[in-house]
Amino acid sequence: MPERAILSGNEAIARGAYEAGVVLASAYPGTPSTEILENVSKYKDIYSEWSPNEKVAMEVGVGSSIAGARTLVAMKHVGVNVAADALFTFSYTGVGGGLVLVSADDPAMHSSQNEQDNRNYGKFAKIPVVEPSDSQEAKEFVGLALEISEEFDTPVLFRTTTRVSHSKSLVSFAERRVAEKKPELVKDMPKYTMLPAFGRRKHPLVEERIEKLKAYAESSPLNRIEMADTKIGVVTNGITYQYVKDALPEASVLKLGMTYPLPTKLIKDFAAQVDQLYVIEELDPFFEEQIRLMGVDVAHGKDLFSLCGEFSPQLIREKVVESSLTLQDVAEGLPARPPAFCPGCSHRGIFTILKKLKVFVSGDIGCYTLGALPPIQALHSCVCMGASIGMAHGMSHVIETGDDLTQKTVAVIGDSTFFHSGMTGLLNSVYNKGISVVMILDNRTTGMTGGQENPGTGKTLSGEDAISADIPAMARAFGIQEVVAVDPYNLEEVEDTLRAELANPQLSVIVVEAPCVLRYRISKPVLKVDPEKCTGCKRCLQVSCNALSLIEEDDNSYVEIDPNLCVGCTVCAQVCKFDAIS
């Protein structure tokens, strides 16, 4: 093992967990957090697992902590919404072994449905928040966060953002430190059994804990002052600290690595040493509001900087000193690369038919969300993981459908999302006499995040054989009478089945079983276009396959298929009215 290496923030968090003696790690994959557990699994001294959802991952972590083991739980920011039920009461019980919950936030929504600022969860749940600004800190802060967790008897929220999670920088390694005391179960009902009587005793202790953490924050190595020119002083955190150092090298900086609770005296002392105090933080004015409530005079904060999206060194320099950095010109002429289904993806045929039938598609989180984009545009709502079935159920109970297909709902959900939180929506729908059509797109992977294992794949995170959950059997066990399977590459069968189930006035489940072509490397003979038959009508282009392109020569136009991309799925050939593709 080298003493130093260039690691991403996620790789560094995994390394930090190893060095700090973490015994168990659990997670549900979600960008930008996924690589944390993928890298933790490489350390055989740590037991690691993918859980079906973030709440379960949190509960697994809580159990490990209660048993006395140092524990890491990881998820993307919206996953904390799912895990919050367990988190908030775990704040009351406190820990056994230290527990760190990594929340990977996604300012600018590179791959998320919102850009919520999860520092608010620290204040809400009354637990400390730690934020690294580069990979070295990401590694070191895991160990410090575990020490805080154990010293103050609290879970610690470890917040990163996409730029910290995915940027790479040099990291120095250390040896793994293992606790001398082995995990063991100790029965302590007042601590771990949150009946109302025990919970009432705990709440004052949680408030006392916050006061102790405030005192700790004043001298914590997580917070530091870097004095320079005193005309401008900046309070900042996380990746924004790196931007400030690039944009304002002459400014004094108070870098907060612990952003809740705040070090009041440290902030006031820093503010007293500078002429103008700036507070620069992405998303919410999380510590700006608290600093103003301290009575500190803040010259500028959110009056200059947006509540939305990411910052940059250029933006900060322009806002603070009204000058620009010297930057390389952006390359011009690069082709646009809008996201689309992979060539051969089994979802393409399904959405081609859903678009043809003009039904309302209640969608979910996964690769199939791309069905909302042009030219397909056949997914009409998407809110959060597992919501598609419940939303379709709600719609179907208030709409008088008749024979009008545009007023009928089809819920579309992938296998991993179904296991995550779709199962309860399906059970609710059959229990409450729903009449929607539910399509479960079972491609045997968690595709959108890069192909992680789930309860349907037959493998664990570590690659061991496991059960492969039987989705049709589960649907029947819920009491659903109408459970059918279709081949997504047979468009006629898909259309006939959908029409039959949409005419059926009861809840039905269509299971679409076809493995992910990207993960399982499935391909068939490449298709070709006969230019003599092709009229250039562009009908095949409506299936949105990157293997297809339109060639325009003088007054003639025709489609070509890139043999390096085509995997022979035949969806384009099936929509061609001129038999030009074979």
Side-chain angles (χ1 to χ4, degrees), residues 51-68:
S51 299
N53 65 33
E54 294 87 351
K55 180 174 182 288
V56 176
M58 187 69 209
E59 292 160 349
V60 170
V62 169
S64 169
S65 172
I66 288 176

Side-chain angles (χ1 to χ4, degrees), residues 438-442 471-472 475 483-487 509-513:
V438 176
M439 300 192 81
I440 303 175
L441 311 185
D442 184 4
I471 292 175
V483 181
V484 297
V486 296
D487 175 0
V509 170
I510 300 174
V511 181
V512 182
E513 294 180 342

Side-chain angles (χ1 to χ4, degrees), residues 91-104:
S91 169
Y92 273 38
T93 68
V95 303
L99 184 140
V100 168
L101 168 60
V102 180
S103 168

Side-chain angles (χ1 to χ4, degrees), residues 2 14 32 72 100 151 181 196-197 280 304 343 365 423 449 463 494 533 572 578:
L72 184 95
V100 168
E151 180 179 349
K181 185 180 179 181
I280 305 178
L304 293 181
I365 308 288
M423 294 188 293
T449 47
V494 172
K533 292 182 178 179
C572 60
F578 305 99

